[in-house]
């Protein structure tokens, strides 16, 4: 299978907005195949295997549902269940322990 090539964008305004609303210091937000970071450098993100696995799961969810499909599903679940109980987040949290989730993900 072809690798999914992803990129990292540091100091992202989108991730800053997410960090504020979640009341956390650092956050990553995935849109499509881009990982937007706030409060963390590329190096820090790449040194945190659980964090990378979590975001890799979101990248694969985007591949599965498409960009609009993912965002629609995410928003609908967020409004019903909030952040933590959102099934897309629950799957990404479970993926933090998944040693194979990063297979096929290439971060450039
Ligand atoms: Zn997540």
């Amino acid at each position: 299978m072809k690798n999914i090539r992803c990129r990292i964008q540091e100091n992202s305004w989108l991730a800053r907005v997410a960090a504020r609303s979640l009341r956390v210091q650092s956050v990553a937000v995935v849109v499509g195949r881009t990982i937007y970071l706030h409060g963390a450098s590329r190096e820090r993100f790449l040194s945190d295997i659980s964090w990378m696995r979590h975001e890799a799961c979101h990248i694969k969810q985007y591949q599965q549902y498409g960009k609009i499909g993912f965002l629609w599903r995410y928003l609908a679940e967020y409004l019903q269940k909030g952040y933590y109980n959102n099934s897309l987040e629950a799957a990404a949290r479970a993926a933090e322990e998944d040693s194979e989730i990063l297979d096929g993900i290439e971060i450039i």
Side-chain angles (χ1 to χ4, degrees):
M1 203 181 86
K2 234 180 101 193
N3 278 355
I4 306 164
R5 297 189 97 190
C6 311
R7 60 190 203 95
I8 294 176
Q9 171 87 57
E10 295 174 289
N11 302 312
S12 148
W13 66 266
L14 176 67
R16 191 176 70 229
V17 170
R20 288 217 180 126
S21 72
L22 292 169
R23 297 189 177 87
V24 293
Q25 286 291 318
S26 40
V27 77
V29 176
V30 174
V31 180
R33 288 178 293 143
T34 303
I35 301 161
Y36 295 94
L37 295 177
H38 170 77
S41 65
R42 175 187 173 92
E43 290 68 30
R44 192 182 135 204
F45 175 75
L46 293 176
S47 69
D48 187 334
I49 189 78
S50 299
W51 198 5
M52 281 179 60
R53 287 172 175 170
H54 181 112
E55 305 311 334
C57 182
H58 286 317
I59 286 163
K60 288 185 170 174
Q61 290 167 345
Y62 272 102
Q63 300 294 307
Q64 183 180 352
Y65 299 121
K67 197 182 271 188
I68 301 295
F70 175 93
L71 291 170
W72 176 252
R73 187 174 291 250
Y74 196 97
L75 179 67
E77 290 220 16
Y78 180 81
L79 294 174
Q80 284 175 4
K81 305 178 191 171
Y83 171 76
Y84 194 82
N85 293 317
N86 183 332
S87 69
L88 296 162
E89 286 303 337
R93 276 198 308 278
E96 292 170 16
E97 309 294 326
D98 182 349
S99 60
E100 292 174 4
I101 192 78
L102 285 163
D103 292 355
I105 300 279
E106 183 185 354
I107 297 175
I108 56 169

